[in-house]
Amino acid sequence: MAALRRKFGEDYQVVNTNRGATFSSAPVKKKRQRFVEKNGRCNVQHGNLGGETSRYLSDLFTTLVDLKWRWNLLIFILTYTIAWLVMASMWWIIAYIRGDLNHGHDASYTPCVANVYNFPSAFLFFIETEATIGYGYRYITEKCPEGIILFLFQSLLGSIVDAFLIGCMFIKMSQPKKRAETLMFSQDAVISQRDGKLCLMFRVGNLRNSHMVSAQIRCKLIKTACH
């Protein structure tokens, strides 16, 4: 019976093939949810603590790092998209207030940003400036102090957003969360006496050729209360 369990698992039926014998089946055991998964993830979650949202937002950087990849990519794309649209709108508003949109092809007129005629051209100017592409076709003139101030603000804001989001993605990619997939634990644990004390022992194997330095193992023992 023990050999059958090791080979086929707990969910199997035992059938008596002798003639004249009645068919019997062993009760199928229900699969219980594990407190700790085999990869080390704990399934016990704390709830109803109060003020959880404010605590997570107070450490926003760590919260973003701990999010799943799909949410990280969504926040990454939305943040850059919204920032690009807002800054491009500000360049378009400056051109609209100054009346540069009405003198787009006037050679005698000096606009705030040369060759910005509409919102798409203002968006392209922002992308060229933010990504330091600098094609040379669109540029700020010296007769636009508000444009110079907006350019400085854009440079500072872009550096902060890049440092925050790229740093978050880099730290998330460098976390060895999948490292446990190549660690194998022995199927059975034994209790044996070591140094005069009973010890619970099991084996851990590393499938990779790389060595693990200063590795630490934490174990949790869950047992029913004795009455």
Side-chain angles (χ1 to χ4, degrees):
M1 296 294 292
L4 288 174
R5 286 195 180 94
R6 286 195 296 268
K7 185 174 182 181
F8 298 103
E10 296 291 340
D11 299 337
Y12 69 94
Q13 294 182 347
V14 178
V15 179
N16 192 345
T17 58
N18 295 329
R19 294 182 179 180
T22 58
F23 292 97
S24 61
S25 60
V28 179
K29 294 184 179 180
K30 295 182 179 180
K31 185 177 181 181
R32 296 183 179 181
Q33 187 176 5
R34 299 174 61 98
F35 287 96
V36 181
E37 295 289 348
K38 292 185 177 181
N39 58 3
R41 185 176 64 86
C42 184
N43 286 330
V44 180
Q45 297 181 355
H46 302 283
N48 300 326
L49 298 178
E52 296 181 21
T53 304
S54 60
R55 293 177 183 272
Y56 282 119
L57 293 179
S58 62
D59 191 6
L60 184 60
F61 187 82
T62 306
T63 302
L64 291 177
V65 172
D66 292 337
L67 287 177
K68 294 183 178 180
W69 269 108
R70 56 178 176 266
W71 296 113
N72 274 108
L73 294 176
L74 179 62
I75 293 174
F76 188 87
I77 294 173
L78 287 179
T79 302
Y80 273 107
T81 303
I82 294 174
W84 290 349
L85 293 176
V86 170
M87 294 303 301
S89 300
M90 296 179 69
W91 285 110
W92 180 84
I93 290 174
I94 290 179
Y96 177 79
I97 293 175
R98 289 173 55 89
D100 297 344
L101 302 180
N102 300 326
H103 302 82
H105 300 281
D106 190 357
S108 62
Y109 180 77
T110 304
C112 178
V113 180
N115 301 313
V116 172
Y117 315 120
N118 45 29
F119 182 78
S121 59
F123 183 79
L124 289 176
F125 168 74
F126 165 75
I127 295 297
E128 294 173 13
T129 306
E130 180 66 22
T132 63
I133 297 175
Y135 292 119
Y137 184 68
R138 299 178 179 89
Y139 53 90
I140 304 176
T141 60
E142 67 277 2
K143 295 184 179 181
C144 185
E146 60 270 24
I148 297 174
I149 295 175
L150 181 59
F151 173 74
L152 296 176
F153 174 75
Q154 171 186 324
S155 301
L156 294 175
L157 181 62
S159 300
I160 294 174
V161 172
D162 290 342
F164 189 83
L165 293 180
I166 295 177
C168 176
M169 299 295 288
F170 178 78
I171 292 178
K172 188 171 183 61
M173 288 188 295
S174 62
Q175 286 184 338
K177 288 188 176 181
K178 295 296 183 180
R179 186 64 177 88
E181 299 295 334
T182 54
L183 296 179
M184 300 295 295
F185 290 83
S186 57
Q187 185 176 1
D188 301 320
V190 297
I191 298 177
S192 180
Q193 190 171 9
R194 289 293 181 89
D195 299 330
K197 298 181 180 179
L198 292 177
C199 301
L200 176 65
M201 298 184 295
F202 56 92
R203 288 187 175 184
V204 181
N206 183 18
L207 296 180
R208 297 184 181 273
N209 294 327
S210 59
H211 298 282
M212 302 182 65
V213 182
S214 301
Q216 297 180 356
I217 298 178
R218 293 184 302 172
C219 302
K220 294 183 180 181
L221 177 62
I222 301 175
K223 61 180 181 179
T224 57
C226 298
H227 298 285

